[in-house]
Amino acid sequence: MRPDVWSAELEELLVRIGHRFGRVDLRRRMRAYVQGLLGPVGRKNSWQLAEHAGHRTPAGLQHLLSRACWNPDEVRDDLQEYVAERLGDTAGVLIIDDTGFIKKGTVSAGVQRQYSGTAGRTENCQIGVFAAYASSRGRALVDRELYLPKSWTSDPDRCAEAKIPGERTFATKGDLAKAVIMRALASPLPIAWVTADSAYGQEWRLRRLLEEADVSYVLAVPKSQHVHAIGRIDFAISQAPEDAWERYSCGAGAKGPRVYDWAAARLPAIDDFDGDAPTHDRWVLARRSLARPDEIAYYLAYAPAGTGVAELVRIAGTRWAIEEAFQAAKNECGLDQYEVRRYPGWYRHITLAMLAHAFLAAMAAAAGTERGAAESVPTLSPRSRWRKSGDSWQLAAPH
């Protein structure tokens, strides 16, 4: 892409959010910060970003993150509008996941020894709950919340030192996810589906929230998940006849198509009727590794009547887009390279890094280089309580 096109798009984005910064000096510092996040800076902390901008000290950029008067939630709203314009699609998918930020010491807001899926082990870290938006045009992070463990919310003095607002009480990661989803559904983002891993999918309140909002989902759940009328999901899947498993690609990965065997069955209808016909179907879905058949992942899905298995598989595979967004935002925009410790600084840095990443996603989409979500296409494969109903399987309740 030509440099003048890049510069014009970045200028338009910076002007879009500029009114959120009430003073000229703050707007200049915001511009320097975002341009530094997008620039060839080794480690994107205040010192190196200041050097890239030609500042003698990092004081101005540190002030931007810590004490300056601006609201990162307003910038987040502008970011969502920008992503809707540049990447929006009526079949768009909202993806929920969390990521860890390894930290030293005990004073960074929300830090404690806790499990980090990023590291794959328990670490001294902060955890952020994020939403990404994915469509055939690209993917970008669109919202964030900092998880505060009870070790923080039960200690008012510690919270005050970290500038955590007094009204911020303990909320589970699931609670944060629900708040993020509700904001996204109220935003200009066109969202047809929501997907998430089992940490979020197992929460019935989250599933019910989506159903009441008339939003379809494919959510991973643990193997012990109890499903109304049929019991544990792993037991129900274990009864599937071998010809219920079909081979699909659920999207392109770093080493080519992600191909698995999938089994899916519609659940007995409970509600959501329009006359005698259900408007939506609930499904159980399972993904089985080709190389290690004993490795099975489980899902619950809710989709408009008539939705095919291939579409459910495609949505399940879309969840990996948020992992790719995390990696890109960290590697290219310094999402995890901040040195702020207080609560406001975390939100401000993270929001500006998300903005920088959304700009790169928009540029990639405009240049036609974004791969997007690959269509799930079944490959050749052979085709109780499982019974065939038309072109799909039905999972009946036990007598």
Side-chain angles (χ1 to χ4, degrees):
M1 181 170 289
R2 300 197 317 270
D4 59 327
V5 176
W6 174 287
S7 298
E9 177 71 12
L10 180 57
E11 178 63 21
E12 180 180 339
L13 178 58
L14 295 177
V15 168
R16 179 191 291 255
I17 67 169
H19 69 288
R20 304 299 188 184
F21 302 81
R23 291 166 31 186
V24 173
D25 60 327
L26 289 184
R27 288 195 289 274
R28 289 173 178 165
R29 290 168 185 168
M30 175 273 293
R31 285 171 167 267
Y33 201 88
V34 174
Q35 289 166 348
L37 292 174
L38 290 166
V41 180
R43 182 163 181 81
K44 296 176 180 182
N45 54 45
S46 295
W47 283 91
Q48 294 195 32
L49 293 176
E51 182 178 0
H52 178 267
H55 298 178
R56 290 184 300 170
T57 74
L61 298 185
Q62 290 172 346
H63 177 77
L64 175 74
L65 298 183
S66 59
R67 298 180 300 278
C69 184
W70 63 281
N71 187 342
D73 287 348
E74 294 176 345
V75 176
R76 175 207 59 211
D77 294 344
D78 293 335
L79 162 65
Q80 292 181 346
E81 182 179 337
Y82 177 74
V83 171
E85 293 173 5
R86 298 301 192 269
L87 306 179
D89 187 289
T90 54
V93 183
L94 190 75
I95 312 161
I96 304 297
D97 202 358
D98 53 71
T99 190
F101 302 90
I102 307 300
K103 291 293 167 184
K104 296 180 179 179
T106 60
V107 298
S108 296
V111 73
Q112 73 168 19
R113 285 190 60 78
Q114 53 193 326
Y115 180 78
S116 166
T118 310
R121 59 184 180 273
T122 298
E123 288 280 0
N124 194 64
C125 65
Q126 296 168 298
I127 298 291
V129 176
F130 285 79
Y133 182 80
S135 73
S136 60
R137 302 166 67 185
R139 68 287 309 269
L141 299 172
V142 294
D143 207 346
R144 70 290 174 264
E145 285 289 355
L146 179 62
Y147 172 65
L148 297 178
K150 290 182 179 179
S151 62
W152 277 83
T153 56
S154 62
D155 189 338
D157 292 338
R158 193 182 188 195
C159 287
E161 181 64 27
K163 302 298 182 184
I164 296 171
E167 64 271 17
R168 181 67 196 271
T169 57
F170 176 73
T172 66
K173 298 183 185 77
D175 292 334
L176 298 178
K178 289 194 285 287
V180 164
I181 290 170
M182 291 300 291
R183 284 199 296 264
L185 294 179
S187 78
L189 292 165
I191 298 168
W193 296 86
V194 172
T195 188
D197 69 14
S198 61
Y200 301 96
Q202 66 183 329
E203 292 211 12
W204 70 267
R205 290 182 181 85
L206 188 150
R207 300 195 302 272
R208 191 62 185 168
L209 179 154
L210 294 172
E211 293 178 15
E212 289 175 350
D214 198 26
V215 176
S216 301
Y217 61 73
V218 179
L219 298 169
V221 294
K223 65 180 182 180
S224 59
Q225 181 72 41
H226 180 85
V227 181
H228 179 75
I230 66 169
R232 277 179 59 127
I233 193 170
D234 59 344
F235 180 71
I237 293 296
S238 71
Q239 295 181 316
E242 189 56 35
D243 62 348
W245 293 89
E246 294 184 287
R247 195 154 294 177
Y248 291 89
S249 164
C250 59
K255 299 180 180 179
R258 295 185 174 106
V259 179
Y260 297 89
D261 285 335
W262 296 80
R266 288 181 287 113
L267 293 169
I270 302 173
D271 47 23
D272 300 316
F273 277 84
D274 180 10
D276 293 331
T279 61
H280 288 75
D281 292 321
R282 293 182 178 85
W283 295 76
V284 293
L285 185 68
R287 186 193 76 213
R288 187 173 69 186
S289 169
L290 303 186
R292 295 175 291 276
D294 58 330
E295 291 186 5
I296 299 177
Y298 303 91
Y299 303 82
L300 292 177
Y302 176 80
T307 301
V309 175
E311 179 68 355
L312 300 178
V313 168
R314 184 184 73 82
I315 300 303
T318 304
R319 193 185 70 78
W320 281 301
I322 196 169
E323 301 292 346
E324 296 167 358
F326 284 147
Q327 183 177 3
K330 290 178 179 181
N331 292 346
E332 300 169 18
C333 304
L335 184 75
D336 61 343
Q337 295 174 20
Y338 57 89
E339 294 180 347
V340 294
R341 294 178 175 175
R342 291 176 172 175
Y343 183 90
W346 187 89
Y347 277 90
R348 292 177 176 197
H349 169 84
I350 293 294
T351 303
L352 293 178
M354 287 168 47
L355 186 81
H357 175 253
F359 167 77
L360 293 180
M363 289 293 89
T369 59
E370 181 66 28
R371 182 176 63 242
E375 183 179 359
S376 299
V377 180
T379 59
L380 292 177
S381 68
R383 186 70 196 139
S384 84
R385 283 157 46 178
W386 288 68
R387 68 169 184 266
K388 205 70 181 290
S389 176
D391 294 330
S392 63
W393 289 86
Q394 178 83 37
L395 192 53
H399 297 294

